[in-house]
Amino acid sequence: MSDDSRFYKRTIVKDELTSVLLGENRSLRIYLPPGYNELLSYPVIYCQDGEQFFNFGRIATTITRCILDEGLEPAIVVGVDVNNMNRTSEYAPEGERHDAYCRFFAEELLPYVESRYPIRSERNERIVAGDSLGGTVSLHLALDYPSLFCRVISLSGAFFDITRERIKAEDDLSWLELYMLIGLDETDVKTERGTFDFVRENRLTKAEMENKNVTLHYIEKPGKHLWGFWQGELDAALHYFLA
């Protein structure tokens, strides 16, 4: 039997970034992998809903296990917390704070983190991850800033007409790589904006992405629109980009 206590010995730095663009302080959680050494350089995973990725997604425990036991490349994880009162406004493409949030991510967050940690600066060494609307804003960040982001993990992304129209407006998205998971039980998901069939919406969005030559790793499997489903799938998503 393996000693699981090894997976709980890890470094998570809590930090706070003052954002001029958002007019507030934003809390960050920064995971440093086993054997972390400032003389080395690391890929990075930026997670929307940072607090949930760490508390409900257990990303620190999962990636530590993958690094120690499964040969995964060590990476830094940056969880970007969100105030739930502003979540839809920031993450939804039509939200009034969406543009400011995307600018914050690209113009304030990245330089702040990369000036403090030895993160590789190539875009294919950055992964942006999110669940539901967090998946949506992660994709839109890549579309808005293709020089910065080209790899996205979407866990049951909330992809609706506005996102599909954005994809249609692009000439070619062969530079974009997406790990796209959807649970087959997500046909009647209640959100603050209404009830949606996430399976249908993701299938429609998948078709639009394929038309634009996105490199797509698309998975449908039994699962609900909950962290209980996504937590168990993080392992495979991390291996897809970092193995």
Side-chain angles (χ1 to χ4, degrees):
M1 203 169 133
S2 69
D3 175 14
D4 284 355
S5 67
R6 293 180 305 130
F7 308 143
Y8 297 101
K9 290 174 185 163
R10 65 280 173 110
T11 303
I12 298 171
V13 180
K14 291 205 172 173
D15 201 352
E16 196 169 72
L17 167 58
T18 300
S19 170
V20 175
L21 289 163
L22 295 174
E24 64 181 31
N25 291 344
R26 187 57 61 112
S27 297
L28 308 175
R29 297 143 209 267
I30 297 161
Y31 162 90
L32 305 176
Y36 173 74
N37 183 337
E38 290 184 350
L39 299 177
L40 302 177
S41 66
Y42 297 90
V44 63
I45 305 150
Y46 289 98
C47 302
Q48 320 293 344
D49 292 298
E51 183 176 9
Q52 295 204 359
F53 258 86
F54 277 81
N55 291 349
F56 303 144
R58 300 181 68 205
I59 190 167
T61 304
T62 297
I63 193 169
T64 301
R65 188 189 75 240
C66 292
I67 292 165
L68 292 178
D69 282 5
E70 298 167 21
L72 195 75
E73 182 175 12
I76 290 170
V77 181
V78 179
V80 186
D81 288 1
V82 66
N83 179 337
N84 278 331
M85 288 180 63
N86 294 328
R87 185 176 186 270
T88 298
S89 175
E90 290 179 356
Y91 288 4
E94 71 277 16
E96 60 188 34
R97 290 169 61 94
H98 177 79
D99 290 346
Y101 180 75
C102 290
R103 283 190 62 201
F104 151 76
F105 215 95
E107 297 172 26
E108 294 179 328
L109 176 68
L110 254 67
Y112 180 84
V113 173
E114 293 187 359
S115 70
R116 284 159 176 77
Y117 299 94
I119 289 168
R120 296 174 197 152
S121 56
E122 299 85 358
R123 68 175 182 174
N124 65 342
E125 299 286 358
R126 295 186 193 107
I127 300 162
V128 209
D131 65 280
S132 197
L133 270 176
T136 316
V137 73
S138 296
L139 173 61
H140 280 261
L141 273 165
L143 295 173
D144 286 353
Y145 296 94
S147 65
L148 297 180
F149 306 107
C150 65
R151 298 182 133 188
V152 176
I153 293 172
S154 169
L155 308 173
S156 307
F159 299 129
F160 304 128
D161 287 341
I162 189 168
T163 296
R164 287 190 286 276
E165 290 303 318
R166 179 68 200 280
I167 294 166
K168 281 181 192 173
E170 298 286 333
D171 291 331
D172 176 63
L173 292 176
S174 56
W175 53 269
L176 179 62
E177 193 168 7
L178 203 73
Y179 186 97
M180 193 171 174
L181 171 76
I182 186 69
L184 290 169
D185 305 305
E186 300 185 59
T187 53
D188 190 30
V189 177
K190 292 177 176 58
T191 75
E192 64 178 53
R193 296 190 295 165
T195 301
F196 299 99
D197 182 343
F198 271 66
V199 178
R200 175 182 176 275
E201 301 291 350
N202 273 261
R203 286 174 179 169
L204 290 170
T205 305
K206 170 182 180 273
E208 293 298 342
M209 288 183 183
E210 287 172 340
N211 288 340
K212 301 294 180 176
N213 302 312
V214 174
T215 301
L216 202 57
H217 188 73
Y218 181 85
I219 301 162
E220 288 183 0
K221 64 196 300 186
K224 295 186 168 66
H225 198 77
L226 297 166
W227 271 109
F229 172 45
W230 303 323
Q231 183 198 103
E233 299 300 318
L234 271 178
D235 178 318
L238 293 170
H239 273 283
Y240 178 76
F241 283 122
L242 294 172

